[in-house]
Amino acid sequence: MHELDRIRLALGEAAERGEGAVLATVIGVDGSTYRGAGARMVVRADGSTVGAVSGGCLEADIVERAAEVLAAGTPELVHYDTRASDDAVFGLGMGCQGVIDVRLEPLAGDALRQAIERLAELRARSAVRLLVCGGGTDAIPVVRLAAAVGWLVTVVDHRPSVATVERFPDAERVIPLDVSQMDRALSSVLRLEQFTAAVVMAHAAAHDRARLHELLGVASLRYLGVLGPRRRTMELLEGSTAAPRAGELPANVYAPVGLDLGAETPEEIALSIVSEIAAVLAGRTPRSLRERGGPIHEERVPALRSEEPTP
C-alpha cells in the first residue's frame, strides 16, 4: 500500500473516533536528506505514527512537538539543520547533513476531513498505474513488488486459469481474456490512457505481438517493457506503424526489460524491472548514488501545500 494511502487511512480512523491528529509534511530540504519535500507523517492522539519524514532521526522529536501542536491547535514550522559535524545535533544523532523544514498541522473536525480529501486528490493525480500483460510465474513477483511500492497494478492474461485474483492478490484488477479471443483489443476492456507504464510478458509471441502493437499507440505510456531478447522484440515490432526505422526501438520501449543487475531468479528479475520503471518515471539515469555528486533529492515544492505558518 502506498504511503499516502496509509496516511489517509490513519486520518480517516482518527475522524471516525472523533480524535485529532497532526500531519507533518516536509516542505523544504537543502543538502543531503533521507526524504525529499512532500514526505508526510501522521501523529495520532496517542503518539503513534504512520509514514515518515526522515530515516528515523526526526520522528521522535516530531511526536513530542505534535502533542503541543494538537493541544494548541496552531500550526508550527520546525527547522532542522543537520550540517554540523557533531552527530548529535539536537540530541537526535542524525546521519544526514542537510536542512529540513517540517510543517506540523493540527487536524480535527472539518479540517481533518478536508485533509483526507486533499490527500485523496493528490493520490489520484500522482498514482503510478502499471499494466502487466502476462500472468506467468515470473509476473507474480513483479506485481507483488510494484504493489509494495504503492503502484496500482492491472494484470491481463489470455489464460483464465492464471488470470485470477487468488494468483495476484496484490493487483488492483485481474482480467482474463479468453484464449479463443486472442486478437481482442486491450482497449475493449481497459482505458489504456490511464496507464503510465506497461510490461509485455505473456511468453506467447502472438499475444505479445498483439499487446505490444496496441500499446505502442498509447501516448500516456512513458515506459513499455518487453520481456525477452532484443531480437525477439524487433520481430514482434514488425508490421507496426509506430515502429521507427529498422533496427531501432521506439523511444519508450525497453527491451530487454529491466536494469542490468545480474538478475537470475524471478524475484531478482522483478526487482530489475520495477527499478527500471521507477528510474524512467523519475527521469533518472540508473547509477550508483555515489556517482551523483549532489543532493539525492531534486528541489521541489510539495503538492497541495497550504500557507506556511510563521516560525
Side-chain angles (χ1 to χ4, degrees):
M1 181 181 294
H2 195 277
E3 186 178 61
L4 277 178
D5 292 326
R6 296 198 302 271
I7 288 174
R8 186 161 49 88
L9 288 174
L11 293 178
E13 292 170 356
E16 291 177 359
R17 293 193 297 265
E19 299 176 352
V22 171
L23 178 62
T25 305
V26 176
I27 62 171
V29 300
D30 184 23
S32 176
T33 61
Y34 186 81
R35 299 292 303 269
R40 294 172 174 83
M41 178 179 81
V42 167
V43 182
R44 299 187 181 98
D46 63 1
S48 60
T49 65
V50 175
V53 296
S54 75
C57 308
L58 306 179
E59 280 70 10
D61 185 67
I62 288 175
V63 168
E64 290 186 11
R65 295 174 182 269
E68 299 178 0
V69 168
L70 189 59
T74 304
E76 179 181 346
L77 181 63
V78 187
H79 181 80
Y80 296 99
D81 189 342
T82 69
R83 293 173 296 185
S85 58
D86 183 2
D87 285 338
V89 177
F90 295 115
L92 302 176
M94 292 179 281
C96 298
Q97 292 185 333
V99 175
I100 310 166
D101 290 322
V102 182
R103 172 186 168 87
L104 304 183
E105 182 181 6
L107 300 171
D110 290 340
L112 179 55
R113 288 185 287 273
Q114 290 169 6
I116 295 171
E117 293 174 0
R118 295 201 311 268
L119 289 173
E121 293 172 2
L122 176 60
R123 174 66 167 132
R125 294 203 303 266
S126 62
V128 171
R129 291 186 174 273
L130 171 64
L131 174 62
V132 177
C133 297
T137 301
D138 55 349
I140 295 176
V142 172
V143 174
R144 184 186 305 122
L145 182 56
V149 297
W151 298 352
L152 303 177
V153 187
T154 296
V155 180
V156 175
D157 194 276
H158 59 284
R159 298 160 290 185
S161 61
V162 301
T164 65
V165 174
E166 292 74 20
R167 186 176 176 85
F168 296 99
D170 300 308
E172 183 185 35
R173 296 182 66 186
V174 181
I175 302 175
L177 291 180
D178 190 273
V179 69
S180 64
Q181 299 174 302
M182 184 179 65
D183 296 326
R184 184 178 176 185
L186 290 168
S187 58
S188 67
V189 293
L190 290 170
R191 185 169 61 86
L192 296 181
E193 292 74 17
Q194 69 181 313
F195 294 99
T196 47
V199 179
V200 175
M201 52 187 308
H203 296 281
H207 292 280
D208 284 345
R209 179 178 293 107
R211 304 313 174 215
L212 176 58
H213 282 215
E214 186 175 8
L215 291 172
L216 283 171
V218 180
S220 64
L221 283 179
R222 296 166 55 192
Y223 178 96
L224 178 50
V226 186
L227 191 72
R230 180 188 176 97
R231 176 177 53 80
R232 178 179 184 270
T233 299
M234 299 308 302
E235 293 173 354
L236 295 178
L237 284 169
E238 292 178 0
S240 171
T241 57
R245 292 178 298 180
E248 295 183 4
L249 289 172
N252 68 333
V253 172
Y254 293 79
V257 68
L259 298 181
D260 184 7
L261 303 180
E264 292 287 345
T265 68
E267 290 76 16
E268 292 171 345
I269 294 171
L271 176 61
S272 75
I273 293 173
V274 172
S275 297
E276 183 176 57
I277 296 173
V280 170
L281 297 185
R284 295 287 186 91
T285 299
R287 57 179 174 174
S288 173
L289 282 175
R290 74 176 185 175
E291 300 175 3
R292 182 167 172 77
I296 296 174
H297 304 289
E298 301 287 352
E299 183 177 353
R300 64 186 178 91
V301 176
L304 297 180
R305 172 177 170 181
S306 56
E307 185 177 347
E308 307 302 342
T310 302

